[in-house]
Amino acid sequence: MKNITIEIDGKKITTEEGTNLLQVARDNGIDIPGLCYHKKLTPTGACRLCVVKVENMPGLVMSCTVQVKDGMKVTAFDEETEQNRRHTLSYLLSEHNEAYNASYEDELRPLIRRYKLEKPADRPVKPIWQNIPRIIDDSSPVLTYDSSKCIKCFRCIKACEEVQGKGVLSFADRGISKYIVAGFGEWKNSECDGCGECIQLCPTGAIVEKPFRGKFKIDTVEKKVITTCPYCGVGCQTEVFVKDEKIVRIDGVEGVLPNDGRLCVKGRFGYQYANHKKRLTHPLIKKNGKFVKSSWNEALDLIASKFNEIKLKYGSESLAAYSSAKCSNEENYLLQKFVRLAFGNNNIDYCTRLCHASTVTAMLKQFGDGAGSNSIQDFETTDCLFVIGNNIIETHPITATYVKRGKAEGQKIIVVDPRWTPLVKYADIWLQPKLATDVALLNGLVNIIIENDWVDKDFIANRVENGLQAFDELKAITNKYTPSYTEKITGISQKKLYEAAKMYATAHTAMIATGMGMSQQTVGTNNVFSLINMCLVTGQIGKERCGVNPPRGQNNVQGATDVGASPVNYPGYIPVTNDENRRKIAKLWNVPYENLDPKPGLTTIEIMNAAYDGKIKALYCMGENPVITDPNQNHTIAALEKLYFLVVQDIFETETSFYADVILPAASLFEKDGSVVNSDRRVLRLRKVIDAPGEAKTDWKIIIEVANRMGTDIGNYENAEEIWNEVREAAPILGGVTYQRIEHEGIQWPCPTEDHPGTSTLFLEKFNTPSGKAKIIPVDYQPQSEIATEEFPIIMNSGRMLYHYHSSTLSRKSDILNAYADKSYVIMNPNDAERLGIKDGDEVLVCSPRGNLKTRAMVRDEVLTGEAFMPWHFHESPVNALTRSEMDPQSKIAPFKYSAVRIEKA
Amino acid sequence: MQREMTSELIKEILGKYPGTKDNLIKALHELQETNPLNYISPEIMEKCAAHFRLTKAQVYGVVTYYSMFSIKPRGKYHISLCKSPVCSMMGSENIFRYLEDKYGLLPDHVSDDGLFSLEKSECLGRCGKAPSMMINKDVYTGLTTDKIDEILLNLKSKPGK
Amino acid sequence: MILNDPKIALARAGKINPASIEEFINTGGFESVKKALKMNRGDLLDYAEKSGLKGRGGAGFPTGMKQRFTSSSCQTCENRYVVCNADEGEPGTYKDRFIMESDPFLLIEGMILAAYSINANYAYVYLRGEYYQSIDNIKNAIKLSYENGFLGQNILNSGYNLDMDIYLGGGSYLCGEELTLLESLEGKRGYPRIKPPFPAEKGLWEFPTLVNNVETFSHLPFIVNNGFETYSQTGTAESKGTKIFCVSGNVQKPGIYEFPFGITLRELIFDIAGGMKSDFSFKGALLGGAAGTFVNETLLDTPLAYETLKKEGATLGSGAVIVIDDKTDLKKMLSSILSFFKHESCGKCVPCRIGTTILYDKISSTDFTADDLKFMLAEAEYMAKNSLCPLGQSPVLPVKSFLKWFVL
């Protein structure tokens, strides 16, 4: 863009050619009024308040609709423009119901004062709003619309369409009686998913949020704190409003990544749990089978003595800990330090093992890094997006806004999913393979790519280990996956396979988003190998807007591994098995290097299996709920029951804490300082918003207390920043990220030094493998060990939904989220339903060889015949009663996506 | 009384139009003309949204913007009588009064027998022979009260659509 | 003096069967296409420009200039469109309907010429939804033109391709505004777009688009067949060619009349339309419809042309000539106009949405006075300055001229 100079009211301003005149004026302190304009939206020109005069342009012009040109001379304020503004404003007021409950920022009121229109007698036109039909829609769980407060500025419509990519809102009718409508006039029956972007952008309180409506005044809010959203791995920046130590509102923070003000329904409205009456407020000790309140001293002493006792009696290897993707970097770092020093082993893992372990295993082998290669904005700007096994609209709603915006600009989208997901509505191609046939599918696509010579030979030669020889090895394997063979295994037509292969391979830039559908299988790692092979033969990585991305499910699942909550790696992905590494870490921690166990620890499911086998005797479980999240629930419960000692540290009692010996009350993410890392490797700040309830404490403080009482020094820290600075020393990829640098906006690792800007795209120059090159790892399709039988004829898939989060300990504490979804269901194909005599809405019994549950049938053609799907958030219908703990041998992940079941009418 | 059109018929009509949204208004015209109740029902809007990959509100917004579309059932014979400057100068107000007095027809209401509904319309482009009106697709000009009697009597005695 | 002048848009009206392509061709139809396809595009653009033809929809923008803009903008754009604005809705106006009902092929012929001149491969007729006969006629004409090789691939072996289709309006006056029309054609609510960009730069689906009125397109075949010199010899200094006038009111012979610009109101009403009906005497006229201007007998001898009327603060607009007589209730007529604007305002911008309501409320109030009219004029002038599109800019025309000729 060219730099130019313009003049507004005699003031010379240098700016870029083509930028918006109103924005330029405002950025330079010239406060031209305007209500329909918002910098996140395309200009509308509806409110007519931003009138100016521009030399050589006839009449009055709206500055929001003018793109600046060099030498432009603008009159923003003179008698004529001000008079017209005042008149327009009085028009608006005549149409507007001025009743104001003070619970939102009203952009109209300051203008009324500015133009001295407070008194009705001073207004040139009389009120007409009482004569216009007043439409009030109060049916949504999250908001209310009142047409008498609405100035018809289009901001809500554009917020929904342009910002969130949903297009749920429109005007109805026309002229003076037009009003905003969702659905056919009832919000609750519309496609609205409650993200509240429209509320955030409404300037006059026509759309207001329901929680706390009228219960507080905006100017009595005590503080507004910016912190990172506690839900999924997008890491949205939120501004949290606090009154009387209660969270009363959450807005998105505009102008910073990753979300630029956007939020989803969980992020904006899912905060009720923090102030929930069921929060744990005191330590609880199980005495005679009942939990009784105890002092911190008693609980901590008990824990320390039991840990020490068990360590002494059964050896160090009998202890393990679960870390948490919902705790900060600092806390995860301290817990791994605690395990390695106090337990003296590497038995620390967490739920990442249950989600992207296979993805990370494959990516580490093939690229040398397990994290997403791109930035969140690339989801908008890449030419082609290949989304496989990832229900991105529901599980990463804000990443999905970038995708939808990209689609509006002509992006091509390929969705690969055995079941319908909302992204299919935006997709150019939807491939619906039979469950667990991904390797065949991807090999089939590679076969087509090779046959049609859409291969990037230069890339392979220069950037892949063993270059064309590796390619030939791959070809030898994929040769047999001809379109007809692939069709036979996957059920996808050859035409569609061809179209998808062509679209991805021949796109100028293409990105992959992969998810649980790929990873949570016994062949999860192979799935990702074959996916990456496709990426490598087409050279769709190593360039801007190209790569492979596994969007993360939890707020700090990326960071927890980055800082070493791993049985195999120290902070920064440094293997524990390497002597040199152990020396470095020992030096940093100021302990003898022999104290560090060189043997990799047990992984999440291995820990549970070892507990079942009596090898693990004590488990320290921080912020995890394995009874719901681990496969094969009956087995998990039996394992927990076998433990000699279980400590659960959480913010609520959970299905797992029921089996604990001691429950420690922890602080929630709203109650602590620290940092997290999101899906695009962005280190983001957590800031304390409210005090923890009762005696609940921040996890890192609890860990130090336990360590001290066990007689192990893991360091003494004044605050989270001190811990973080130690993390920076331990993990070179994070070395340059100081709290000060991420005060305003996050930084993406790798960022080794304080003058390094961070890295938005990985692998531009080289891969992170020892050779610097990527690896093709050919794999063959293997049929599943578990198959549909006469007794268990249907294959059950499982996954998440927008309105709930994991084991739903947090999300089901929200009345709003419950209002959208509070019942479990199983989606089954109409053919199966008919055969089994099941109707939509029927109660059904679902049984697998492991266990059974009751739920409600939802009959939809969203799944293939012979397959079914259930969300796993509902403890009363626990999907993991059905799943098995057989593991992917390479990554130790469990096959949550594939269980043979029987469904019958209950 | 007339019945709602069937789901099959809606689907059949939509099937004739490519699923790009520029065809929405054309499809709405045909759907409304085919609907015995002469209006755009929620089911029609629902199916249009699915067919043209739009949200419900986007369809509703279009339907309620254009005055030819109605979201309320209308008479089998929908009368659009012009009230614009020329026709009103040439006497259309008398005709409105006559329709109300003699036939009980009021704008935006359907007669009890379901046969007639009335709309005050803008200029129909028949100003040379004002006042004028349309009943469904047929144009009537040079209206007088006698002519109205004749037209309505004729329609009442016609067999159903 | 002018009764024997050549007709251009209505040359065949009433003389041929509008459903018959043979009759059209036998009366010289599509001759201009045959000629044009052999010409180079630049010469064709010159023809339109040098003829002096101006848009007949009401705004009177030079057609040739618009064609040239559209042909030269965005050279990298893969598509270019021609759109016919057949959404006639101006009260008192029915000339486009008349053309489409009596000579639909003429419109197709004109559109082919325009499309070829700007190298567009798609052309659409956006037709008012209530004009059922016109819809049938144009559909039939498009179909027969395809069958006879005047549309489709490789037209008359020239290598030029043009597809044509019809879109329907849904009952919105505003959709006759060119940018709003394009929104509607794309299947959306009829909201005016921000100008610039003009359709010539970014029109339909963001591609360069030429939008012309039915009557305007209907003049192109004559110009190509007879040369721009012949065409520009008719009319006045700045208003070339003929114009269709739609005469309504209590005159002996209300109807459609095509005459060269320059004819006077007196000639039109008293010679052509036969004068007033008995019992009625002439009081004035509303020229151009609702978005037009009132005149009284003072202007009876002013030539009807863009430049002459402009001098008197009047406009010809779409060509509507609504004759007002001594029995006409003038306030009611103005009220009907203001009710029309209120009904047709899309509501997008504040001045128009609220202003049209204020104006109508005011004239509907029982104690209506001359001072109220002055208040209305002030509001209408504010609206004209601040509104987004021509609709909000229009009420000032009837209100101001009403005051000028009938009150002050």
Side-chain angles (χ1 to χ4, degrees), chain C residues 14-35:
Chain C
K15 293 179 189 151
I16 61 161
N17 171 6
S20 163
I21 195 169
E22 290 80 14
E23 291 189 30
F24 178 71
I25 291 170
N26 290 341
T27 49
F30 290 127
E31 282 305 317
S32 69
V33 172
K34 291 176 194 161
K35 182 174 172 189

Side-chain angles (χ1 to χ4, degrees), chain B:
Chain B
M1 292 298 279
Q2 307 294 319
R3 291 237 180 93
E4 293 278 356
M5 68 200 290
T6 62
S7 309
E8 288 67 35
L9 187 54
I10 299 173
K11 279 188 203 154
E12 189 189 315
I13 291 171
L14 281 173
K16 295 195 265 180
Y17 295 91
T20 50
K21 75 173 168 190
D22 56 306
N23 290 293
L24 171 65
I25 295 173
K26 262 195 258 190
L28 286 171
H29 273 296
E30 187 175 349
L31 288 160
Q32 177 165 286
E33 281 162 19
T34 315
N35 188 350
L37 292 176
N38 230 326
Y39 84 117
I40 305 291
S41 64
E43 189 186 356
I44 292 176
M45 289 191 277
E46 191 110 33
K47 293 211 157 54
C48 282
H51 184 76
F52 295 107
R53 283 193 181 202
L54 296 166
T55 62
K56 291 179 185 177
Q58 285 166 338
V59 175
Y60 191 80
V62 167
V63 171
T64 57
Y65 179 89
Y66 293 100
S67 60
M68 285 181 78
F69 302 128
S70 173
I71 53 167
K72 283 191 285 190
R74 301 194 288 193
K76 179 178 171 187
Y77 300 108
H78 180 68
I79 306 169
S80 307
L81 176 56
C82 179
K83 58 141 184 164
S84 84
V86 180
C87 281
S88 86
M89 176 171 74
M90 302 300 283
S92 72
E93 282 178 16
N94 290 333
I95 309 285
F96 276 115
R97 214 170 300 130
Y98 187 70
L99 284 170
E100 182 182 346
D101 292 348
K102 175 145 186 201
Y103 296 93
L105 291 178
L106 281 163
D108 306 320
H109 281 84
V110 184
S111 62
D112 291 341
D113 55 8
L115 276 184
F116 297 104
S117 53
L118 176 65
E119 174 194 346
K120 284 188 163 185
S121 109
E122 296 299 350
C123 180
L124 296 168
R126 313 280 162 171
C127 325
K129 294 171 182 168
S132 55
M133 70 177 182
M134 291 180 78
I135 300 183
N136 297 346
K137 287 186 166 188
D138 298 321
V139 181
Y140 302 87
T141 56
L143 297 175
T144 59
T145 50
D146 286 352
K147 227 170 163 174
I148 288 285
D149 286 340
E150 192 188 315
I151 295 164
L152 294 198
L153 189 69
N154 200 359
L155 289 175
K156 275 184 176 178
S157 57
K158 247 167 93 171
K161 157 149 103 169

Side-chain angles (χ1 to χ4, degrees), chain A residues 330-338 700 703-704 717 723:
Chain A
E330 292 75 5
E331 290 162 341
N332 278 288
Y333 173 81
L334 267 199
L335 189 66
Q336 61 91 33
K337 189 175 177 186
F338 168 86
W700 64 264
I703 299 165
I704 292 174
Y717 307 90
I723 307 173

